[in-house]
Amino acid sequence: MDKKTSILSPLKALKYLFKKPKTLRYPFELKEPAKRYRGLHLNDWDKCTGCGNCADICPNEAIVMKEIPEIEAKDGERNERPEIDYGRCCFCGLCVDICPTGSLRLSRDYFHIHFDPGTFKLLVKDEKTDKEHFLPGEEYSVFKASLAHRREKYEGFSPDLEYALFDPERVKMSEVPSEERKASFIEQVKGFSREEAGKEASRCLECKLCEEVCPAEMDIVDYIRNIWENNLEGAVRDIYKTNPLPSVCGRVCTHNCESACVLGHQGEAVSIRWLKRYVVDNLSLSEYQKVLETEKIKSVGKRVAVVGAGPGGLATAYYLRLMGYEVVIFEKLPKPGGMLRYGIPEYRLPYEALDKDIEYIKSVGVKIKCDTTVGEDISLAELRDNYDAVFVSTGFDKGRSTGVPGSENPHVFQAIELLRKVTMGEEIEVTDKIVVIGGGDVAMDISRTLGRLQMKKFGAVDITLSCLETRDIMPATPEEIEEALEEGVKLYPGWGPEKIIVEDGEIKSIVMKKCLRVFDEQGKFSPEFDTEEKIEFEGTMIVEAIGQAPDFSFLSEDIKEKLEYEGRRMKVNEYGQTSLSWLFIGGDILRGPDVINAIDTGHKAARGIDRFIAVEK
Amino acid sequence: MREVELYFGPQHLGMVGNFSITLNVEGDKILKATADPGFLHRGFEKLMEYRTWMQNFPIVCRINVVEPDHMEMVYAMAVEKLAGIEVPERAEWIRSIYLELARVGSHLFGLWAYSNMLGFDTVAQWAMYHRDLILDLFEELTGGRVYHIYIWPGGVRRDFPEGFTDKIVETLHSIGKCVPDYNDIFFNNPLFYERTHGIGKITREEAEKWGGVGQVLRATGKSFDIRKVQPYAAYDKVDFDIPTREEGDAYSRVMVIRDEMIESVHLIFKLIEGLPKGEVYNKVPNPFKWKIGEGESYVRVESSRGELGLYLVSDGGDKPYRAHFRTPSYSHGLTILEKVLEGSNISDVGNIMISMYVVAPEIDR
């Protein structure tokens, strides 16, 4: 024994009889839980996207995603919300740390007093959306405390980006700097290395919100997982299931998937587009047929004609060919690709990348006849007679004019025509001061292309770009606008053209009026102007990039008469089949205006044609 | 006299926890003792094979209710070793402070069990109250009182809240002020001494041979502590003593626990003083896409009852291929207890068992 003490020394403890007791008289004396307390859940329904990552991480399977009919599902949001089974929940808070939107938190409530054990399940909400069950401090009573009787403003364990289980930042893509790139047409984006792609792919949480918005319904999660596992062959197989133009889409797709990505809510979306590009850039064309098992295709002895070798036509042709059809594409321009080749500038989509996709499509047996204009060299009726079905995707290849006074001047150009000339290698007489009208991607493309030509000719860029829309509602993708600005394009959003000042046949300037609104209350295009407020841009060349129109001149009168219309559009079924059963349409003339929609219409039409031929021929 | 088989637990007033010992007795004397575990078996090690690396982190702590923190630590260390994850400096220091607080809390719990067993109810209540003060600290730091779920692979889950170190110091001082009272009515109480002196005695050789660790080994005079033998967290950055005793009986084991608690408090003060600034968490990969390369790791820490080890195997997948814990109560509660009980008195069964601080859930994993 360390110290000899008297047998009476324990009596010292009697002094505690006269001290205030330390025990709380619960529940009359309550103890305030700590600020980080991990109690019952709170979920902000407005922020929650129903991605289901909380349900996936839960080690006890306590969370189930429940469909909520009142919530309208939209792009990037499901009408599902988490329901928690408190008989299983262990209050670890992993669901909070994985929640990409930060909607899920834990409160400091921890009581549940109820006679019915069935009440252990709860579709969690917070005081914002569930005013009835969250009570202010003075109305709250601990004697009634339950999942349905809770205290408001009682937040506990909250999400913190620094400790989140996901990575909010994307892997930086290396790009050619603006000073260097504006002097040439070299590709701006350099692409991922193996390590970068693996790291970026590892960010994906696999909630599949992206797949729900992809017009082509691509198996995005699958191919990203394959990239992460360094299985490029598997990734290519996943991609080609629904998209025969991955090299193109990996560069210029409008990437609805990335807008839907849940990681974009608090951080940056997964670079899905660049990942797709990484896959096809790192697999040589010679391996495609082996990997995709398309070396031997059994012929079914039927023939299909495709009009237009754009993305829609190429996609239909590819999938029909896989089903064993003999497919011939008729293209009026010297090379296949349509708007991909003749509309998108080389620095965004190099010709080699496009050619790689087309070469593979050709290698499986699709025949492409270029320099053949349907309606001139061969009629649609002839195609109908010689083939079992015809698919038409001729696109929107005619530019629209503003029609303002002076726009008939020969120095006023259509963006789409200029872009085509650049691709064809024709000389364009660029001047040192150019004004571009339009706020979409085509306007950005032509501004940046003309900027490069100006750089070559004059050593300086002087492009003024003006459009009706204000910067926040400009239809061009934000990156494109940003890059155009970096390259020296001067941007004036919110102005509409009034007249072009021409002196002695030469353009001097363009007068613009202030645009007050672009769309009316119903969302229809109906611009209003303030004619008092004006601005004048000097320029010796004007380029209009305000949209494109289709050219249906190949349709003969008798076919036009037989076709049925819905408004100004041809009436079609889900496969793009018109009222003439042998005629299918796709691409921009059906739905658009981007590559991925064209591919989807093409893929659907291929299935429709297969069905049509099987049933009716 | 007739030999009788007696069931000590699981339904027995003298039993703490879901554990049982079958005794063959003749009169008061125990002829043979057979430990009978398994009443709390929840299959944790198997469950872990079906959960991802991150999903396992809230589970491991539940293996030991009394002191979940060292379980978290040992799991985090094993994963970090397998996956080659670095832990920031500050996180290592925070881990040490946190684990020492856990040691104090756990020893107070042990003190409650022991004094309660011996009938010193006043001390038992004090110990429980003081443990609650430590749990208050845990609640403020982690959001949970019992299962803290705080140390995870890559560091710790959140940094200290503002003013937290002051709170730790304040709480420990308030507990420390009561140490003389504890001494007077318990540790230096002749009744306590008489009740524990020479009871459940083992020699150093026996302890070493039978796999004794922690207080069981240190009470026999051997200074063995993983914090010194194979330092982890920030234990190699600060100086501290390993209390030992020579006698190897129940009394010296409890006195080692007392000295350890006091040493831990001093250690916490030193750690707080040297606590560096900086990050506390290095991000680990996305939990849905986290595979750890093929390999195995064995890591060990000094829990409040002795060496706690984890053998973790990965076959290159997103879940452990195998996890196996080496828990101190396993050797103490099964091997040593059976040997020591042989020849002792029925009235000393609970006394000896708790002096070795056997925690049943650690045996049944």
Side-chain angles (χ1 to χ4, degrees):
Chain A
M1 206 165 133
D2 285 5
K3 211 174 124 193
K4 281 258 177 289
T5 44
S6 153
I7 198 147
L8 297 176
S9 65
L11 294 176
K12 274 189 184 170
L14 289 174
K15 70 181 177 196
Y16 286 96
L17 281 177
F18 309 101
K19 291 195 175 170
K20 196 174 167 274
K22 303 276 191 191
T23 331
L24 295 178
R25 290 185 311 120
Y26 212 75
F28 307 102
E29 272 175 28
L30 289 176
K31 186 173 177 295
E32 187 65 15
K35 281 207 177 96
R36 279 183 192 168
Y37 194 81
R38 297 196 311 264
L40 306 174
H41 292 73
L42 294 168
N43 187 22
D44 185 342
W45 273 28
D46 297 339
K47 264 199 202 170
C48 180
T49 57
C51 66
N53 282 305
C54 46
D56 291 340
I57 193 86
C58 182
N60 310 314
E61 295 179 11
I63 306 180
V64 180
M65 299 305 289
K66 274 274 154 92
E67 206 171 302
I68 312 290
E70 308 90 84
I71 296 181
E72 198 190 335
K74 38 184 193 252
D75 285 358
E77 185 183 335
R78 287 194 192 112
N79 62 343
E80 291 178 349
R81 294 293 179 264
E83 183 188 70
I84 314 229
D85 181 346
Y86 282 102
R88 284 169 165 263
C89 177
C90 72
F91 303 92
C92 63
L94 280 187
C95 48
V96 173
D97 283 336
I98 194 76
C99 180
T101 58
S103 70
L104 204 61
R105 297 100 70 209
L106 297 176
S107 77
R108 279 181 271 167
D109 284 309
Y110 55 91
F111 291 106
H112 179 61
I113 307 165
H114 210 282
F115 292 109
D116 178 9
T119 56
F120 264 78
K121 284 188 180 173
L122 178 74
L123 205 57
V124 283
K125 294 183 182 179
D126 67 2
E127 55 251 49
K128 237 168 77 184
T129 32
D130 185 13
K131 294 212 168 59
E132 190 187 339
H133 296 136
F134 285 84
L135 309 166
E138 58 276 10
E139 288 173 39
Y140 173 85
S141 157
V142 72
F143 295 102
K144 290 190 223 154
S146 76
L147 292 171
H149 181 101
R150 294 172 62 176
R151 190 191 293 230
E152 65 174 28
K153 291 184 195 137
Y154 211 41
E155 214 149 301
F157 191 74
S158 301
D160 188 333
L161 263 193
E162 211 177 308
Y163 303 96
L165 287 172
F166 54 86
D167 188 353
E169 279 169 36
R170 53 165 68 174
V171 175
K172 213 171 153 21
M173 171 57 81
S174 40
E175 291 184 6
V176 179
S178 61
E179 278 310 308
E180 198 183 315
R181 71 175 186 245
K182 74 180 181 187
S184 76
F185 279 87
I186 54 165
E187 189 172 18
Q188 179 184 340
V189 174
K190 289 181 177 168
F192 281 139
S193 66
R194 160 76 207 119
E195 289 70 34
E196 287 168 334
K199 187 156 185 267
E200 184 62 20
S202 78
R203 294 177 60 224
C204 170
L205 297 172
E206 307 191 349
C207 55
K208 297 198 175 179
L209 281 171
C210 48
E211 294 186 3
E212 287 164 22
V213 299
C214 177
E217 297 163 36
M218 293 196 70
D219 296 330
I220 298 169
V221 167
D222 291 352
Y223 74 72
I224 291 187
R225 180 162 263 272
N226 273 322
I227 296 170
W228 172 62
E229 287 172 345
N230 201 16
N231 176 6
L232 284 189
E233 297 187 357
V236 159
R237 276 194 286 270
D238 290 334
I239 290 172
Y240 266 91
K241 271 187 216 165
T242 42
N243 187 342
L245 296 168
S247 190
V248 171
C249 283
R251 289 173 165 83
V252 296
C253 183
T254 39
H255 58 70
N256 296 350
C257 49
E258 292 185 21
S259 319
C261 180
V262 266
L263 286 179
H265 286 263
Q266 288 195 89
E268 295 165 313
V270 176
S271 306
I272 302 172
R273 184 170 61 170
W274 302 143
L275 284 173
K276 181 156 53 234
R277 167 181 165 169
Y278 162 77
V279 176
V280 280
D281 278 5
N282 287 281
L283 200 71
S284 76
L285 186 58
S286 56
E287 288 172 87
Y288 272 35
Q289 282 199 324
K290 198 171 139 247
V291 172
L292 296 165
E293 295 164 5
T294 52
E295 284 157 308
K296 276 190 188 135
I297 294 169
K298 225 173 125 192
S299 177
V300 293
K302 301 278 180 187
R303 304 174 75 213
V304 179
V306 172
V307 183
L314 289 167
T316 322
Y318 176 73
Y319 289 111
L320 282 171
R321 181 65 204 133
L322 292 193
M323 295 175 204
Y325 293 93
E326 298 294 322
V327 190
V328 183
I329 306 180
F330 297 90
E331 168 60 48
K332 72 174 176 186
L333 289 167
K335 283 184 171 177
M339 218 39 113
L340 303 176
R341 187 182 300 274
Y342 296 101
I344 299 176
E346 202 184 349
Y347 59 86
R348 277 179 66 205
L349 177 59
Y351 302 131
E352 308 89 71
L354 174 62
D355 287 338
K356 189 175 181 184
D357 283 346
I358 295 176
E359 278 312 309
Y360 169 62
I361 292 174
K362 277 183 175 172
S363 73
V364 298
V366 171
K367 294 191 179 63
I368 304 178
K369 280 192 180 171
C370 291
D371 289 319
T372 311
T373 312
V374 173
E376 286 175 23
D377 301 321
I378 185 165
S379 74
L380 199 58
E382 276 175 82
L383 294 180
R384 175 192 61 197
D385 299 340
N386 295 331
Y387 292 86
D388 293 295
V390 179
F391 174 78
V392 174
S393 67
T394 47
F396 279 29
D397 61 347
K398 276 198 325 199
R400 283 201 172 110
S401 173
T402 54
V404 294
S407 62
E408 65 293 336
N409 188 287
H411 284 107
V412 176
F413 295 93
Q414 290 298 319
I416 210 73
E417 276 154 26
L418 288 182
L419 286 168
R420 191 175 304 150
K421 281 184 179 171
V422 172
T423 302
M424 294 173 96
E426 287 175 26
E427 186 72 26
I428 295 176
E429 281 187 30
V430 281
T431 64
D432 58 349
K433 247 183 185 355
I434 303 174
V435 181
V436 176
I437 310 295
D441 281 337
V442 174
M444 298 301 145
D445 285 344
I446 192 63
S447 306
R448 296 173 67 188
T449 299
L450 291 174
R452 280 163 170 77
L453 296 176
Q454 276 184 331
M455 204 60 194
K456 267 187 197 164
K457 199 167 171 187
F458 307 107
V461 178
D462 191 341
I463 308 266
T464 306
L465 190 144
S466 185
C467 60
L468 294 177
E469 298 89 354
T470 48
R471 177 81 193 260
D472 52 326
I473 55 162
M474 272 174 72
T477 44
E479 303 101 88
E480 280 261 351
I481 301 173
E482 213 46 61
E483 287 159 12
L485 290 172
E486 278 171 25
E487 288 170 15
V489 172
K490 286 168 277 180
L491 183 66
Y492 291 90
W495 297 92
E498 191 180 64
K499 61 181 176 199
I500 296 169
I501 312 280
V502 183
E503 280 178 22
D504 305 331
E506 297 287 323
I507 292 172
K508 286 276 167 249
S509 64
I510 180 165
V511 178
M512 311 287 282
K513 52 196 172 183
K514 186 83 197 161
C515 180
L516 298 175
R517 70 154 201 211
V518 185
F519 302 101
D520 63 11
E521 285 78 25
Q522 279 83 43
K524 278 191 182 162
F525 181 72
S526 161
E528 269 183 13
F529 299 98
D530 177 2
T531 42
E532 297 297 304
E533 201 179 341
K534 285 180 191 172
I535 190 167
E536 191 172 344
F537 300 124
E538 277 185 36
T540 45
M541 177 175 171
I542 309 283
V543 181
E544 294 170 323
I546 57 159
Q548 290 86 252
D551 178 4
F552 286 125
S553 56
F554 62 91
L555 291 174
S556 57
E557 285 307 317
D558 59 323
I559 290 178
K560 262 187 196 166
E561 269 170 34
K562 282 180 200 153
L563 280 170
E564 286 175 30
Y565 291 86
E566 273 174 343
R568 289 163 67 190
R569 287 180 172 265
M570 280 181 225
K571 190 182 166 191
V572 290
N573 68 5
E574 60 194 294
Y575 298 109
Q577 189 175 23
T578 62
S579 46
L580 293 169
S581 62
W582 54 273
L583 183 65
F584 289 73
I585 61 166
D588 281 352
I589 59 172
L590 177 60
R591 166 153 56 87
D594 58 8
V595 197
I596 197 74
N597 272 300
I599 289 171
D600 180 51
T601 56
H603 194 179
K604 287 212 172 85
R607 275 179 270 172
I609 290 170
D610 182 48
R611 194 170 140 272
F612 161 70
I613 291 178
V615 174
E616 294 184 31
K617 289 259 169 174
Chain B
M1 229 185 285
R2 194 161 64 94
E3 186 183 321
V4 176
E5 198 176 63
L6 190 71
Y7 297 104
F8 191 86
Q11 308 293 339
H12 189 282
L13 280 177
M15 178 51 71
V16 178
N18 312 38
F19 189 54
S20 171
I21 309 164
T22 311
L23 305 167
N24 290 71
V25 296
E26 200 180 71
D28 272 2
K29 207 175 153 215
I30 297 165
L31 300 176
K32 188 170 172 263
T34 316
D36 185 12
F39 296 98
L40 201 55
H41 190 75
R42 296 143 294 171
F44 276 118
E45 287 169 0
K46 201 74 195 159
L47 283 176
M48 285 173 72
E49 293 169 18
Y50 292 88
R51 277 159 178 76
T52 61
W53 299 109
M54 192 44 90
Q55 283 179 330
N56 271 322
F57 135 80
I59 281 183
V60 283
C61 52
R62 292 179 157 77
I63 294 173
N64 187 347
V65 197
V66 179
E67 191 198 14
D69 318 272
H70 281 94
M71 290 287 173
E72 290 171 13
M73 181 64 184
V74 83
Y75 178 71
M77 277 169 67
V79 172
E80 281 154 11
K81 196 173 161 192
L82 266 179
I85 298 167
E86 297 265 328
V87 178
E89 177 82 2
R90 181 176 167 86
E92 294 280 31
W93 285 70
I94 289 182
R95 281 177 174 191
S96 287
I97 297 172
Y98 170 79
L99 292 174
E100 287 316 302
L101 278 174
R103 193 182 311 280
V104 176
S106 166
H107 280 337
L108 284 167
F109 191 85
L111 189 57
W112 160 78
Y114 199 44
S115 50
N116 202 36
M117 161 72 62
L118 296 177
F120 291 90
D121 288 9
T122 311
V123 183
Q125 284 179 29
W126 289 357
M128 236 7 180
Y129 170 69
H130 286 141
R131 175 179 148 85
D132 245 45
L133 296 184
I134 307 264
L135 297 191
D136 283 346
L137 291 176
F138 282 135
E139 186 187 326
E140 181 159 351
L141 176 61
T142 70
R145 288 181 76 77
V146 177
Y147 295 122
H148 312 132
I149 317 182
Y150 181 66
I151 296 181
W152 65 5
V156 293
R157 209 167 171 193
R158 297 285 190 271
D159 202 349
F160 276 170
E162 226 176 84
F164 186 64
T165 47
D166 297 339
K167 238 176 213 164
I168 298 177
V169 174
E170 197 183 304
T171 308
L172 293 180
H173 275 308
S174 76
I175 299 173
K177 264 191 249 161
C178 299
V179 172
D181 286 342
Y182 273 108
N183 284 339
D184 279 342
I185 79 158
F186 189 67
F187 295 110
N188 293 338
N189 188 337
L191 289 174
F192 166 69
Y193 181 74
E194 293 302 327
R195 189 75 186 79
T196 53
H197 180 64
I199 298 287
K201 199 171 163 110
I202 49 172
T203 63
R204 189 192 297 187
E205 289 71 33
E206 282 170 339
E208 282 176 354
K209 193 168 77 189
W210 296 335
V213 286
Q215 302 85 36
V216 174
L217 189 59
R218 287 196 287 270
T220 64
K222 173 137 178 149
S223 174
F224 181 84
D225 191 312
I226 305 298
R227 290 177 293 172
K228 288 281 188 198
V229 179
Q230 201 176 38
Y232 53 94
Y235 288 118
D236 53 349
K237 313 267 172 26
V238 279
D239 189 37
F240 61 99
D241 291 331
I242 307 296
T244 54
R245 294 259 163 171
E246 294 298 328
E247 297 81 4
D249 57 0
Y251 175 76
S252 38
R253 286 197 280 274
V254 175
M255 291 312 272
V256 166
I257 288 183
R258 187 199 78 145
D259 296 346
E260 262 180 29
M261 256 193 282
I262 293 169
E263 190 58 36
S264 281
V265 171
H266 290 307
L267 180 53
I268 292 170
F269 292 156
K270 283 181 204 164
L271 285 164
I272 287 176
E273 219 164 85
L275 183 66
K277 285 197 164 51
E279 300 287 311
V280 299
Y281 173 47
N282 281 342
K283 265 202 176 173
V284 295
N286 171 359
F288 301 126
K289 283 200 167 78
W290 188 7
K291 283 188 179 174
I292 295 183
E294 213 177 295
E296 53 181 40
S297 67
Y298 181 77
V299 291
R300 48 187 189 163
V301 297
E302 184 71 22
S303 79
S304 62
R305 290 159 316 288
E307 179 180 338
L308 167 70
L310 171 60
Y311 175 59
L312 197 64
V313 186
S314 170
D315 60 354
D318 58 352
K319 302 177 180 85
Y321 173 75
R322 179 78 172 98
H324 183 75
F325 288 91
R326 184 257 181 256
T327 51
S329 296
Y330 194 81
S331 52
H332 294 169
L334 302 182
T335 329
I336 301 180
L337 188 63
E338 283 185 0
K339 308 251 187 211
V340 177
L341 285 182
E342 228 166 85
S344 62
N345 197 299
I346 291 184
S347 60
D348 288 332
V349 177
N351 186 349
I352 294 172
M353 189 183 100
I354 300 179
S355 76
M356 290 199 273
Y357 204 171
V358 175
V359 174
E362 265 193 356
I363 304 173
D364 299 335
R365 306 177 292 272

